Amino acid sequence: MILDGKFGKYGGIFVPELLIPALEELESAFLKYKDDKDFNTELDYYLREFAGRPTSLYFARNLSEKLGCKIYLKREDMLHTGAHKINNTLGQGILAKYMGKKRIIAETGAGQHGIATAVVGSMLGIPVEVYMGSEDIERQKLNVFRMELSGAKVIPVKTGSRTLKDAINDALRDWIANVENTHYLIGSSMGPHPYPMMVKHFQTVIGKETKNQILEKENELPDAIIACVGGGSNSIGIFSQFLDDEEVELIGVEGGGEGLDSGKHGATLCRGSEGVLHGSLSFILQNDDGQISEAHSVSAGLDYPGVGPEHSYLKVTDRAKYVAITNKDALRGFELLSKYEGIIPALESAHAVEYLEKYAKIPENEGKTIVVNLSGRGDKDMFIVAREMEVKI
Ligand SMILES: *Cc1c(COP(=O)(O)O)cnc(C)c1O
């Protein structure tokens, strides 16, 4: 390895020896192509023509009036497949092509990353196989169908809790066995080095656009940026371009589930402790014996017991602040944005919207300029929201 992949003491490479050559190959390919002209021309082309970039930085006039702040929404919800995930799957998909890989594997929880990978595989002509917990397959039949329509094969995982963390373990096993022809396309800024660095790189496009757009509209930097945190990729993507601008407050919003004291939440940074999960050192949810706890959130994207290592570093160095919003409060955010702006957010993004409401109500924040990263759209969540609202559809 050329780099150690550490953010302070977090991150690194905690994997079986057998995986090291694969990670080395990936690191060197990524470092070679990330500044390569042809690679970037191709990536920019597909980000624009296939995914729909740039996304707008939309001034939310009604919400601004209501909350007494200047509120901008970074519209990642407008992208193909409905969320920021496509930025990373395009980046890694094209990298896999440059590396000559003939097969892509991925893991998925609710199916969003699986879909973003499946469509990119279809577009590039590379077969995709997606590991998914059998419990999740049962809960997310529509997304399984979407992946299959895009030509991907969905492989049920029947071990452990039969959810995302078990799917990641099986995908890692597959990769060890097939590393020569296969790229493992991880969906968030987590996992062993070089994934956190690489996924961040492919998501920095959010932060770069946001910075240019806000300077054009306001002639100055925002006072605060708010983004939801599952594995941490949309948030690190937008935070990345403001890390050195100390005056910009960076706030990550985790899934508070049924409350931080309920034991049923996904608030890894707010309530977790240091440990190793899926190849890197970070904050994780674990019991006193170091067993991984199950995460809980109404939004599948925030339902992960780990978090990308750079966020652990930003937390302990106080560069970013992390808060949690409960399921119930997230629904308020969901309704607020839908009603006032005509924009139905993903449940993940609704956590950030609801924290915005709380933040704007603090007297010293009156009149501030705030950017909320709207990581995705809510179409996928309609049935869950209707159930929570006790509406029959
Ligand atoms: C997957 C997902 C998330 C959480 O993932 P991050 O890596 O933390 O960004 C957030 N919002 C949406 C819409 C998602 O699909």
Side-chain angles (χ1 to χ4, degrees), residues 15-16 19 23 105 131 167-177 184 186 192 195 278-279:
V15 296
L19 258 184
L23 294 170
I105 57 170
Y131 284 91
I168 296 177
N169 289 332
D170 274 24
L172 281 169
R173 250 180 297 234
D174 178 318
W175 201 31
I176 291 176
Y184 177 20
I186 290 187
Y195 284 101
H278 298 137

Side-chain angles (χ1 to χ4, degrees), residues 81-85 112-113 187-190 199 203 228-236 299-302 307 311 345-349 373-377 380-381:
T81 64
H84 68 290
K85 288 195 168 71
Q112 292 306 115
H113 174 57
S188 190
S189 53
M190 42 150 293
V199 176
Q203 294 292 0
C228 64
V229 179
S233 70
N234 85 85
S235 47
I236 205 69
S299 93
L302 305 186
V307 68
H311 286 290
L347 272 174
E348 292 84 359
S349 323
N373 196 23
L374 216 60
S375 55
R377 70 176 91 114
K380 67 185 177 62
D381 295 319

Side-chain angles (χ1 to χ4, degrees), residues 128-141:
V128 170
E129 291 178 38
V130 181
Y131 284 91
M132 188 170 185
S134 55
E135 184 73 26
D136 289 333
I137 289 180
E138 202 45 48
R139 286 191 289 213
Q140 304 285 346
K141 288 188 181 134

Side-chain angles (χ1 to χ4, degrees), residues 161-182:
S161 56
R162 292 174 282 151
T163 58
L164 178 61
K165 71 176 166 55
D166 314 291
I168 296 177
N169 289 332
D170 274 24
L172 281 169
R173 250 180 297 234
D174 178 318
W175 201 31
I176 291 176
N178 300 293
V179 65
E180 249 122 82
N181 70 348
T182 300

